[in-house]
Amino acid sequence: MKKFIVSIIGLVTLWLSSAIRADETNSAWLPETVTFWSVVADKYVAFCLGVELYNKPVIQSDLKASWACGLYVDLWNSSPLNGNWNDNFGSEVDYSVGWAGKLSKLGLTGPISELSLDIGTAYFDEPGVFSLGADDLLYSHIKLFKDTKWATFMVAYENYIAMPGSSYGKPTGNLLSVGVSKDTSLFNGLLNPRTFFIVSYDTGCLGLDSGVLLRGGAELDWRLSKHLSLVCPQVNYFAPINMNDSRRLTAVVYAGFSYKF
């Protein structure tokens, strides 16, 4: 599995090099967009796995820079609102790099060229942030999207690898998912609702039970200006099917803002 992750990183590098060469007439080394968002959540539930990591309010923030060639880098943070930083799994910093864009950017032609790809890897630094060791995770994903006039459809493969010395019951695991999402624009773009629904098969990540996890959500984005939007409310829910681990039917409520530079 480690060889597979190395292959993912290698593919990202190769595709990035090709995309930059194809787009070198533009300022390929300057980000095309930089987005920052920050929300308060009533608890922290791991988005992909549906595991409750912290049962008190947290503030979660994200800074993402994207280039015209498809490269993106991302820095994500979670912090308990009660100030108990680094004492629990409510404290986390994630470092991500990846590539996202139409397959036509990679030189592919035909019907497949209109599919969108998101491939990347992330290091989850938790809960002893900046210690870089046990209980940290390496996460990688490959996602394919198909846009239609009704909705966007997705298939995904996600992988978790625990760092040596971690206390998890199993050092690796995978998620296989299919999903659908719908973005709508109302009142000339002033109100932008979004909904999504994903069905995942968990092979037994990190000592959890194998089985099916249903997850989904809905949010309202209120555009306040060209750059600033209010995210309120956002609700994500998780429903494990036939799993006898710590996961339960639960929902997380968020509110915050996003700013695109």
Side-chain angles (χ1 to χ4, degrees):
M1 188 58 65
K2 291 183 179 179
K3 291 182 178 179
F4 176 76
I5 300 303
V6 171
S7 298
I8 288 179
I9 298 172
L11 283 172
V12 171
T13 303
L14 283 174
W15 288 341
L16 171 61
S17 299
S18 299
I20 288 178
R21 285 196 297 269
D23 196 39
E24 59 188 4
T25 55
N26 297 324
S27 299
W29 297 108
L30 297 176
E32 184 178 50
T33 61
V34 177
T35 303
F36 175 77
W37 62 256
S38 186
V39 296
V40 174
D42 67 326
K43 64 177 74 71
Y44 179 18
V45 176
F47 177 74
C48 296
L49 295 176
V51 177
E52 185 178 283
L53 298 178
Y54 189 67
N55 63 0
K56 296 178 182 179
V58 293
I59 181 168
Q60 298 178 335
S61 304
D62 182 84
L63 179 64
K64 182 176 183 179
S66 302
W67 281 258
C69 63
L71 171 73
Y72 64 83
V73 293
D74 194 285
L75 181 65
W76 184 90
N77 167 255
S78 176
S79 302
L81 278 181
N82 61 12
N84 292 337
W85 169 251
N86 249 6
D87 289 341
N88 49 65
F89 277 92
S91 304
E92 182 177 337
V93 176
D94 298 344
Y95 318 91
S96 307
V97 62
W99 188 94
K102 290 286 185 70
L103 290 180
S104 57
K105 277 194 170 187
L106 304 178
L108 299 179
T109 59
I112 195 174
S113 66
E114 291 306 307
L115 296 178
S116 296
L117 172 70
D118 184 345
I119 179 171
T121 189
Y123 187 90
F124 294 172
D125 188 1
E126 57 180 351
V129 177
F130 308 133
S131 61
L132 303 182
D135 290 331
D136 291 348
L137 299 172
L138 183 66
Y139 164 82
S140 298
H141 70 266
I142 302 175
K143 301 179 182 180
L144 277 174
F145 301 88
K146 171 62 177 177
D147 291 325
T148 72
K149 64 180 181 180
W150 302 285
T152 297
F153 298 90
M154 177 205 72
V155 295
Y157 168 81
E158 298 162 281
N159 172 260
Y160 289 84
I161 297 177
M163 295 296 100
S166 294
S167 59
Y168 306 112
K170 185 179 177 183
T172 65
N174 306 298
L175 287 175
L176 305 173
S177 305
V178 294
V180 60
S181 62
K182 176 67 175 180
D183 293 295
T184 308
S185 182
L186 304 173
F187 309 116
N188 293 320
L190 294 179
L191 178 60
N192 300 280
R194 180 177 186 269
T195 58
F196 71 92
F197 178 72
I198 298 172
V199 180
S200 297
Y201 177 72
D202 184 348
T203 63
C205 290
L206 309 175
L208 298 168
D209 281 356
S210 61
V212 175
L213 176 67
L214 308 181
R215 50 193 168 105
E219 69 179 74
L220 290 177
D221 292 352
W222 306 80
R223 183 165 60 85
L224 304 180
S225 70
K226 179 181 178 180
H227 302 284
L228 179 64
S229 294
L230 179 67
V231 180
C232 186
Q234 176 184 349
V235 179
N236 290 350
Y237 62 86
F238 306 84
I241 307 297
N242 296 327
M243 292 177 173
N244 295 315
D245 52 33
S246 63
R247 287 176 283 192
R248 299 290 183 269
L249 176 65
T250 188
V252 185
V253 180
Y254 307 82
F257 71 93
S258 66
Y259 190 90
K260 180 177 288 188
F261 295 88

